[in-house]
Amino acid sequence: MDGRPCSKVACTNDAVSTLTYVYADSMAVLGPLSRQAEPHSYDLCPRHAERLSVPQGWQVVRHVSLGRTEHSAL
């Protein structure tokens, strides 16, 4: 494993997303993997990021990273 591991117990997959919570707003924010591990966030593999569930009444905000597109000269 070259990257950071998924935060889920017993998961051996590499993380691709970082999950943080905003308790005051009842919100979970899932975005691209942060540059470095943070103590109050959770790094998730694709499987666990897709299956994310939150308490009833909470909102999930999913940020996606748009790939960089290279243009060639005509």
Side-chain angles (χ1 to χ4, degrees):
M1 180 164 34
D2 294 331
R4 291 201 310 263
C6 181
S7 295
K8 290 289 187 173
V9 175
C11 183
T12 59
N13 296 320
D14 285 344
V16 296
S17 301
T18 297
L19 171 67
T20 56
Y21 293 104
V22 182
Y23 292 98
D25 295 329
S26 300
M27 183 182 306
V29 181
L30 184 69
L33 188 63
S34 62
R35 292 184 184 207
Q36 58 188 32
E38 299 291 335
H40 300 292
S41 64
Y42 302 89
D43 296 331
L44 301 176
C45 68
R47 178 175 167 242
H48 288 115
E50 180 65 31
R51 294 181 173 191
L52 173 68
S53 64
V54 297
Q56 186 173 357
W58 279 52
Q59 175 180 332
V60 177
V61 176
R62 294 177 184 264
H63 293 279
V64 293
S65 166
L66 300 177
R68 185 175 167 189
T69 307
E70 293 188 27
H71 299 279
S72 58
L74 296 176

